[in-house]
Amino acid sequence: MTRLPAQLIIGACLSTVFLGAALLSFLWTPYDVTNLDIAAKLRPPSTTHLLGTDHFGRDLVSMLMEGGRISIAVAVLAVGIGMGLGVPLGLTAAAHRGGLLDEVIMRGNDLVFAFPSLVIAILITATFGPSATNAIIAIGIFNIPVFARVARGGALTIWTQDFIMAARVAGKSRARISLEHVLPNIANLLIVQGTIQFSLGILAEAGLSYVGLGAQPPTPSWGRMLADAQTMIYATPRLALAPGLAIVAMVLGLNLMGDGLRDLLDPRIRRARA
């Protein structure tokens, strides 16, 4: 029986807490975050408001729950875009390694890498306006070359194996070989990279929302909460500490999960430990 790595268990527990709170916010939150109660603004933590209230009288626990839903949803969808488009591109480039198609795909990836997600977001929002949807598109575009490179690098190793040569002799096309033989053998790499990009997506969304390019008021997000709290960070530091610690804990949990999954799924590490 394979023993699960400790970092995988710790990371999964940390991530599950915030994922569970985000999912719960679809059904229930202690208070309605769209309901402003100026009379109750900046109240300290109490049995009524476990983390207190913000400068609009909104409950911080409810804000964290709904803010986590937005931040996590943006990261998940952005990773989905990156994986859904990047992996086929990487597999195609590997199947035509050294050819014109491989060169075109990889040089296109280099072009996208030249523009960080923040720059892409600025270009998109300058055209269509700031929103969570545009943040998803910007982060997703930046994720495409990441997954393309990972898929291509892993696939190139698989294409040198004898069973791939046997499949080619059997008359299978490059596309069929990529789907039936290459993709299953690099799935562990893609899962680990997906976990890492998920954590980076949360950081990117927080950064974009902080500078006003992500979720717009009154929609809460962890980055937006940080931006709203910056003017009162000395007077009421808990307004910034709550979303900041949530981001740190979620990203830490996902990174630990990524390390644990790598140790669990990589056969070389399993053999070394055995």
Side-chain angles (χ1 to χ4, degrees):
M1 183 176 178
T2 304
R3 188 175 68 177
L4 295 177
Q7 62 266 41
L8 176 58
I9 298 173
I10 296 172
C13 291
L14 274 174
S15 302
T16 300
V17 169
F18 291 98
L19 286 172
L23 292 175
L24 180 61
S25 70
F26 281 101
L27 303 174
W28 173 84
T29 55
Y31 294 88
D32 183 1
V33 298
T34 63
N35 183 26
L36 306 184
D37 186 5
I38 303 301
K41 68 177 183 178
L42 299 179
R43 285 187 177 175
S46 64
T47 55
T48 305
H49 301 280
L50 294 181
L51 294 179
T53 60
D54 68 359
H55 54 297
F56 289 121
R58 297 173 297 185
D59 180 63
L60 275 185
V61 172
S62 302
M63 293 285 289
L64 284 176
M65 291 174 67
E66 289 214 18
R69 183 176 74 191
I70 299 299
S71 299
I72 292 170
V74 168
V76 168
L77 293 174
V79 170
I81 291 173
M83 185 176 289
L85 297 177
V87 171
L89 287 174
L91 292 176
T92 302
H96 297 83
R97 60 196 180 281
L100 178 61
L101 190 55
D102 180 22
E103 190 70 16
V104 170
I105 291 174
M106 298 317 295
R107 296 297 74 78
N109 283 343
D110 292 340
L111 180 62
V112 176
F113 265 132
F115 297 92
S117 58
L118 181 59
V119 176
I120 296 174
I122 292 173
L123 293 174
I124 292 175
T125 53
T127 305
F128 302 105
S131 68
T133 300
N134 292 333
I136 292 171
I137 295 172
I139 301 170
I141 290 174
F142 187 75
N143 278 331
I144 292 174
V146 174
F147 284 102
R149 284 178 176 270
V150 171
R152 181 181 182 273
L156 286 177
T157 303
I158 303 301
W159 274 96
T160 62
Q161 302 298 315
D162 292 338
F163 66 89
I164 297 295
M165 182 62 69
R168 298 185 68 177
V169 170
K172 291 186 177 181
S173 65
R174 291 176 178 178
R176 186 176 176 185
I177 292 173
S178 295
L179 289 175
E180 294 183 357
H181 302 286
V182 177
L183 183 57
N185 282 282
I186 65 170
N188 58 332
L189 295 175
L190 298 176
I191 292 172
V192 173
Q193 190 64 43
T195 305
I196 295 171
Q197 293 307 123
F198 186 14
S199 66
L200 293 178
I202 289 177
L203 286 175
E205 189 282 331
L208 292 176
S209 294
Y210 183 81
V211 297
L213 300 178
Q216 298 299 298
T219 303
S221 76
W222 290 340
R224 189 72 208 175
M225 291 173 68
L226 283 173
D228 291 340
Q230 65 180 338
T231 57
M232 295 176 288
I233 192 168
Y234 294 109
T236 318
R238 59 183 170 80
L239 297 183
L241 283 174
L245 291 176
I247 293 171
V248 169
M250 186 66 185
V251 171
L252 176 62
L254 290 171
N255 283 331
L256 289 174
M257 277 186 62
D259 289 342
L261 287 171
R262 182 199 60 195
D263 294 350
L264 183 66
L265 299 175
D266 193 328
R268 292 170 298 180
I269 296 179
R270 290 205 305 268
R271 285 196 297 267
R273 289 187 170 183

